[in-house]
Amino acid sequence: MSRFLVDRDGETRVRLSEGMELTKTQSVLAVVGLVVLFAVPDITRLTGLSFQAIHRGILFGLAAVGLNLLLRHTELVSFGHAAFFGVGAYGAAVLASHFEVSSGLLLLLGGVLAATTIAVLIGYFVSGYLDIYFALLTLAFNQVLYAFVLQSGYFNYSDGLSVRPDGLNPPTLFGLQWTSTGYDLILYYFTVVVLVGSLLVMWKLVNSPFGRALDAIGQDRTRARFVGIPVEKYVWIAFVISGIYGGLAGGLFALLQLHVSPDPTLYAFVSGEILFMAILGGFGTLVGPVVGGVVLVYLLIQAPFYVEYYNAVTGLVLIGVVLFLPEGILGSVPKIGTGLARRRRDPGLLRDDIAAIGSSIRRGVTRAVTTVRIIVFGVN
Amino acid sequence: MTTGLTDAMETGGIDRRTLLKTVGGSALAVALAGCTELLEGEDDPLADADVPDEPVESGLQTFTEGAPSVLGVQARYGAETAVRRINENDGIAGRQMNLDVVEESDAYLTNYQQFVDDGKDVTFGPISSSGHAEMVPEIEAQEVINVSTDGTVTTLYEEDFPDVTYSFRFQNHDVMEALAAVEQAVEVLGADSIDTYAGINPNYAFGQDEMELFSAGIEQLTGAEEVYSGFPDLGTGDMSTHITEVNSEAPDVVFSSCWGGDATLLLEQGHANDMFDAIDVLVGPVLYGSANDLSEDLVRGPIYSGSRNFYWGEPSTDRWSPAADLVDEVQSEYGVVPTAHFMSGYGAVTAWATAAEKAVRLLGRWPEQEELAMVLENHGFFTPAGYHTIGADHQGYSNAHFGELTWSDEHDAAALANVNVFAAKNVSPPPGEISADWIGSW
């Protein structure tokens, strides 16, 4: 075995660093994922897919990765994560609009710092609460921030702020003023680097003793406290880290959209969408929230162009996920893979599948006919 | 209007030669002016132009649902009507036109970007003023022409983006309707009788812009003093506190740029709290935008409304048949009376389509985006509302309409009586001049 290959339980794994090891399948998927991520500009050019929508989806997915730290490990449901996304975006916008800061990286830093500050403050108040109280408190803080920005002349009310320091051109990236196309590309590749770095950090974090402690807190707070884990402090720290991810995503969103207004960034619905992204992609996985972010944002952007009742899309997808993919898109891949492998080995199972679908349809039709008969002719 | 067309109208109607000459001889321009019957037997002068066979692809973003749809759906009807007329009259230099409509929501940028990704030749909209401001830099970056239906904040092209290429706006800017409101109040009450005024305006860029311009105008013209200015939230459920404040101050004039559901609410709560007994006159530049939602009892009182660049009864429909034809067509097709926001959609499409055909005539081929943008600057054209120009500042200029809110039994809808038509040059500065400076020079 070389330095990068280790043997664990009879299986060869790729070793990235201390404690970070991938199975062969995971390694292949990671490489494919990276290639796809970096090829997105070319893929969209060739296929007609929307580059902007995918970029935007990745950013919301990054926020969902942060939210997932709470959801997956401490088992706390935050309904207010748009607060950090929005503050991150507004942090960048305020620096660009009011202080004419032209460096994109400084704007991003400002956004992250603002979101971190807010996360520290909100986290202090909510870390001792559980379940519905935690969810409602996060929602309440989110709404307070939204209402404050909406009513504030400094944030230009509902009209929002531009992220164009000179009023027309985007900020500089790496000290250079790019053309519109160049700016979009550079920002995208920068986003990919930030995303990969953030995922690696999150992986390290959740596989560290701190991550294990969060798991313990999620499973049973009282027991975790009894074994000596400072529960509130750890939840507070997790909350702040989660908020930093949201702020990072929001700051990048500001650099992408070049205009920040309250509704797309701070409104409570956005919090619900970020939460849904994590569930849709698979909150039991590290990368699932990113997949969920891209899929949901893409759907939300495209739906109004194709269906009249586009507002129903989120609800229908949510129903579909809960009923058919409860572990989310990425979380269901192993189960689907195993099922397909079994059917490859034993094609006879397909007949059972068809029979099951047929009997399910028959049952549904029978129920519907019975219901109609009762409505029309009565129970007798 | 000071054209030969007006002279012809004054003497009893438009003759075919005058109209064709005025609009540049374009069959499409005549059709969009609503004068199709004049085209019988016309040869197609663009038959030899090098124009693609594929239809023109266009996109409109507007409010199709929720409270703002009071305005947005009218803009949609207007744009669809213009496109229908274009296609019924052999298209733009022979090219048919397709229009995709998408809900504006708060997704102005992504909608525009999606339209560009879809390969649209031109985009129209939005209604929202903040959305328009958000879009302008992106339009300049993407280099696909957008003709905004509304988004009327005055400072947009005057101060924020004075040097743009691909971004245009068809509808009158706020200064025109705010100053038309000033002129209307002065005409009704007389400058010497106006000592105090108040404002109730929606709390966002449009409402603040309108109030600022109205204040500057009325103070300059009458020396009146502001006694109250309230900014209820857009889409608020209660304006009673603002109405109470107005009642206690009893100003001579109340100005309100409330629109949609806010306009209806203002009139409802104004009547319920006897505001119209406490004040001399209410002037509202966009109250009539809610024409199809107002009931007969709401339009009673000293209420005067603007109707931006189009009021269907002006010029009177027996003198200007295109307006009458349009009302009939719209009522038959959609079951509503067309308002100024109908003209927002109709005019935006017409501005671009007539400019495109003019460009084909000049070039002998279909123009590039930049060439078409050059033609759109200082472009003049007719709609059933009359004559319009797109200035060198990319802002649309038209007559501004203001009249007394009343009820039409004939159309079973709110109407305007004694409509005043204010020429663009009297209620807006020349392109290149800042409105506030211009008002100060009165």
Coordinates of all heavy atoms in Angstrom, one line a residue, chain A residues 78-84 86-87 117-129 133-149 239 265-268 271:
Chain A
S78 N -33.6 24.3 11.8 CA -33.6 25.8 11.8 C -34.5 26.3 10.6 O -34.3 25.9 9.5 CB -32.2 26.3 11.6 OG -32.2 27.7 11.2
F79 N -35.4 27.1 11.0 CA -36.3 27.7 10.0 C -35.9 29.1 9.7 O -36.6 29.9 9.2 CB -37.8 27.7 10.5 CG -38.5 26.4 10.2 CD1 -39.0 25.7 11.2 CD2 -38.7 26.0 8.9 CE1 -39.7 24.5 10.9 CE2 -39.3 24.9 8.6 CZ -39.8 24.1 9.6
G80 N -34.7 29.5 10.1 CA -34.2 30.9 10.0 C -32.9 31.0 9.3 O -32.2 32.0 9.6
H81 N -32.5 30.1 8.5 CA -31.1 30.1 8.0 C -30.9 31.2 6.9 O -29.8 31.6 6.7 CB -30.7 28.8 7.4 CG -29.4 28.3 8.0 ND1 -29.2 28.1 9.3 CD2 -28.2 28.1 7.3 CE1 -27.9 27.8 9.5 NE2 -27.3 27.8 8.3
A82 N -32.0 31.7 6.4 CA -31.9 32.8 5.4 C -31.3 34.0 6.1 O -30.8 34.9 5.5 CB -33.3 33.2 4.8
A83 N -31.4 34.1 7.4 CA -30.9 35.2 8.2 C -29.4 35.4 7.8 O -28.9 36.5 7.6 CB -31.0 35.0 9.7
F84 N -28.7 34.3 7.9 CA -27.2 34.3 7.6 C -26.9 34.5 6.1 O -26.0 35.2 5.8 CB -26.5 33.1 8.2 CG -27.0 32.8 9.6 CD1 -27.7 31.6 9.8 CD2 -26.9 33.7 10.6 CE1 -28.2 31.3 11.1 CE2 -27.4 33.4 11.8 CZ -28.1 32.3 12.1
G86 N -28.9 36.0 4.1 CA -29.2 37.4 3.8 C -28.2 38.4 4.3 O -27.8 39.4 3.7
V87 N -27.8 38.2 5.6 CA -26.8 39.1 6.2 C -25.5 39.0 5.4 O -24.8 40.1 5.2 CB -26.6 38.8 7.7 CG1 -25.4 39.5 8.3 CG2 -27.9 39.1 8.5
T117 N -21.1 37.5 13.0 CA -21.5 38.3 14.1 C -23.0 38.0 14.5 O -23.3 37.8 15.6 CB -21.4 39.8 13.8 OG1 -20.1 40.0 13.3 CG2 -21.7 40.6 15.0
I118 N -23.8 38.0 13.5 CA -25.3 37.7 13.7 C -25.5 36.3 14.2 O -26.3 36.0 15.1 CB -26.1 37.9 12.4 CG1 -26.1 39.4 12.0 CG2 -27.5 37.4 12.5 CD1 -26.8 40.3 13.0
A119 N -24.7 35.3 13.7 CA -24.8 34.0 14.1 C -24.4 33.8 15.6 O -25.0 33.1 16.3 CB -24.0 33.0 13.2
V120 N -23.3 34.5 16.0 CA -22.9 34.5 17.4 C -24.0 35.0 18.3 O -24.3 34.4 19.3 CB -21.6 35.3 17.6 CG1 -21.3 35.5 19.0 CG2 -20.4 34.7 16.9
L121 N -24.6 36.1 17.9 CA -25.7 36.7 18.7 C -26.9 35.8 18.8 O -27.4 35.5 19.8 CB -26.1 38.1 18.1 CG -25.1 39.2 18.3 CD1 -25.5 40.4 17.6 CD2 -24.9 39.5 19.8
I122 N -27.4 35.4 17.6 CA -28.6 34.5 17.6 C -28.3 33.2 18.3 O -29.1 32.7 19.0 CB -29.1 34.3 16.1 CG1 -29.5 35.7 15.5 CG2 -30.3 33.4 16.1 CD1 -30.0 35.6 14.1
G123 N -27.2 32.6 17.9 CA -26.8 31.3 18.5 C -26.8 31.4 20.0 O -27.2 30.4 20.7
Y124 N -26.4 32.5 20.6 CA -26.3 32.6 22.1 C -27.7 32.5 22.7 O -27.9 31.8 23.7 CB -25.8 34.0 22.4 CG -25.8 34.3 23.9 CD1 -24.8 33.8 24.8 CD2 -26.8 35.2 24.4 CE1 -24.9 34.0 26.1 CE2 -26.8 35.4 25.8 CZ -25.8 34.9 26.6 OH -25.9 35.1 28.0
F125 N -28.7 33.0 22.0 CA -30.1 33.0 22.5 C -30.8 31.6 22.2 O -31.7 31.2 23.0 CB -30.9 34.1 21.9 CG -30.5 35.4 22.4 CD1 -29.8 36.3 21.6 CD2 -30.8 35.8 23.7 CE1 -29.4 37.6 22.1 CE2 -30.5 37.1 24.2 CZ -29.8 38.0 23.4
V126 N -30.4 30.9 21.1 CA -31.2 29.8 20.7 C -30.6 28.4 21.1 O -31.3 27.4 21.1 CB -31.5 29.8 19.2 CG1 -32.3 31.0 18.8 CG2 -30.3 29.5 18.4
S127 N -29.3 28.5 21.5 CA -28.6 27.2 21.7 C -29.2 26.3 22.8 O -28.9 25.1 22.8 CB -27.1 27.4 21.8 OG -26.9 28.3 22.9
G128 N -29.9 26.9 23.7 CA -30.4 26.1 24.8 C -31.8 25.5 24.5 O -32.3 24.9 25.4
Y129 N -32.3 25.8 23.4 CA -33.7 25.3 23.1 C -33.7 24.1 22.2 O -32.7 23.9 21.4 CB -34.5 26.5 22.5 CG -34.8 27.6 23.5 CD1 -33.8 28.6 23.6 CD2 -35.9 27.6 24.2 CE1 -34.1 29.6 24.6 CE2 -36.2 28.6 25.2 CZ -35.2 29.6 25.3 OH -35.5 30.6 26.2
Y133 N -39.3 24.8 19.7 CA -38.9 26.1 20.2 C -37.7 26.7 19.5 O -37.6 27.9 19.2 CB -38.7 26.0 21.7 CG -39.9 25.5 22.5 CD1 -40.0 24.2 22.9 CD2 -41.0 26.3 22.7 CE1 -41.1 23.7 23.5 CE2 -42.1 25.9 23.3 CZ -42.2 24.6 23.7 OH -43.3 24.1 24.3
F134 N -36.8 25.8 19.2 CA -35.6 26.2 18.4 C -36.0 26.6 17.1 O -35.6 27.7 16.6 CB -34.6 25.0 18.3 CG -33.4 25.3 17.6 CD1 -32.3 25.8 18.2 CD2 -33.3 25.0 16.2 CE1 -31.1 26.1 17.5 CE2 -32.1 25.3 15.5 CZ -31.0 25.8 16.2
A135 N -36.9 25.8 16.4 CA -37.3 26.2 15.1 C -38.0 27.5 15.0 O -37.7 28.4 14.2 CB -38.3 25.1 14.5
L136 N -38.9 27.8 16.0 CA -39.7 29.0 16.0 C -38.8 30.2 16.4 O -38.9 31.3 15.8 CB -40.8 28.9 17.0 CG -42.0 28.0 16.5 CD1 -43.1 28.0 17.6 CD2 -42.5 28.5 15.2
L137 N -37.8 30.0 17.3 CA -36.9 31.1 17.6 C -36.1 31.5 16.4 O -35.9 32.7 16.2 CB -36.0 30.7 18.8 CG -36.5 30.9 20.2 CD1 -35.6 30.4 21.2 CD2 -36.7 32.4 20.4
T138 N -35.5 30.5 15.7 CA -34.7 30.9 14.5 C -35.6 31.6 13.5 O -35.1 32.6 12.9 CB -34.1 29.6 13.9 OG1 -35.1 28.6 13.7 CG2 -33.0 29.1 14.8
L139 N -36.8 31.1 13.3 CA -37.7 31.8 12.4 C -38.0 33.2 12.8 O -38.0 34.1 12.0 CB -39.0 31.0 12.3 CG -40.1 31.6 11.5 CD1 -39.7 31.6 10.0 CD2 -41.4 30.8 11.6
A140 N -38.2 33.4 14.1 CA -38.5 34.7 14.7 C -37.3 35.7 14.4 O -37.5 36.8 14.0 CB -38.8 34.6 16.2
F141 N -36.1 35.2 14.7 CA -34.9 36.1 14.5 C -34.8 36.5 13.0 O -34.5 37.6 12.6 CB -33.7 35.4 15.0 CG -33.5 35.6 16.5 CD1 -33.6 34.5 17.3 CD2 -33.2 36.9 17.0 CE1 -33.4 34.7 18.7 CE2 -33.0 37.0 18.4 CZ -33.1 35.9 19.2
N142 N -35.1 35.5 12.2 CA -35.0 35.7 10.7 C -36.0 36.8 10.3 O -35.7 37.7 9.6 CB -35.4 34.4 10.0 CG -35.2 34.4 8.5 OD1 -35.2 33.4 7.8 ND2 -35.0 35.6 7.9
Q143 N -37.2 36.7 10.9 CA -38.3 37.7 10.5 C -37.9 39.1 11.0 O -38.2 40.1 10.4 CB -39.6 37.2 11.0 CG -40.3 36.2 10.1 CD -40.5 36.8 8.7 OE1 -39.6 36.6 7.9 NE2 -41.7 37.4 8.4
V144 N -37.3 39.1 12.2 CA -37.0 40.4 12.8 C -35.9 41.1 11.9 O -36.1 42.3 11.5 CB -36.4 40.2 14.2 CG1 -35.7 41.5 14.7 CG2 -37.5 39.9 15.2
L145 N -35.0 40.3 11.4 CA -34.0 40.9 10.5 C -34.6 41.3 9.2 O -34.3 42.4 8.7 CB -32.9 39.8 10.2 CG -31.8 39.7 11.3 CD1 -30.9 38.5 10.9 CD2 -30.9 40.9 11.3
Y146 N -35.5 40.5 8.7 CA -36.2 40.8 7.4 C -36.9 42.1 7.6 O -36.8 43.0 6.7 CB -37.1 39.7 7.0 CG -38.0 39.9 5.9 CD1 -37.5 39.9 4.6 CD2 -39.4 40.2 6.1 CE1 -38.3 40.2 3.5 CE2 -40.2 40.4 5.0 CZ -39.7 40.4 3.7 OH -40.5 40.7 2.6
A147 N -37.7 42.2 8.6 CA -38.5 43.4 8.8 C -37.7 44.6 9.0 O -38.0 45.7 8.5 CB -39.4 43.2 10.0
F148 N -36.5 44.5 9.7 CA -35.6 45.6 10.0 C -35.1 46.1 8.7 O -35.1 47.3 8.4 CB -34.5 45.1 10.9 CG -33.5 46.2 11.2 CD1 -33.8 47.3 12.0 CD2 -32.2 46.1 10.6 CE1 -32.9 48.3 12.2 CE2 -31.3 47.1 10.8 CZ -31.6 48.2 11.6
V149 N -34.6 45.2 7.8 CA -34.0 45.6 6.5 C -35.1 46.3 5.6 O -34.8 47.3 5.0 CB -33.4 44.4 5.8 CG1 -33.0 44.7 4.4 CG2 -32.1 44.0 6.6
F239 N -23.8 26.2 15.6 CA -24.8 27.2 15.0 C -24.0 28.3 14.3 O -24.3 28.7 13.2 CB -25.6 27.8 16.2 CG -26.8 28.6 15.7 CD1 -28.0 28.0 15.4 CD2 -26.7 30.0 15.5 CE1 -29.1 28.8 14.9 CE2 -27.7 30.7 15.0 CZ -28.9 30.1 14.7
T265 N -33.4 37.0 -0.4 CA -32.3 36.6 0.5 C -32.7 36.4 1.9 O -32.2 35.6 2.6 CB -31.2 37.7 0.4 OG1 -31.7 38.9 0.8 CG2 -30.6 37.8 -1.0
L266 N -33.7 37.2 2.4 CA -33.9 37.2 3.9 C -35.3 36.7 4.3 O -35.5 36.6 5.4 CB -33.8 38.7 4.4 CG -32.4 39.1 4.9 CD1 -32.4 40.6 5.3 CD2 -32.1 38.3 6.2
Y267 N -36.1 36.6 3.3 CA -37.5 36.2 3.6 C -37.6 34.8 4.2 O -36.8 33.9 3.8 CB -38.4 36.3 2.4 CG -39.9 36.3 2.6 CD1 -40.4 37.0 3.7 CD2 -40.7 35.6 1.8 CE1 -41.8 37.1 3.9 CE2 -42.1 35.6 2.0 CZ -42.6 36.3 3.1 OH -43.9 36.3 3.3
A268 N -38.5 34.6 5.1 CA -38.6 33.3 5.8 C -38.8 32.1 4.8 O -38.3 31.0 5.0 CB -39.8 33.3 6.8
S271 N -35.7 30.6 4.0 CA -35.2 29.6 5.0 C -35.8 28.3 4.8 O -35.1 27.3 4.9 CB -35.6 30.2 6.4 OG -34.9 31.3 6.7

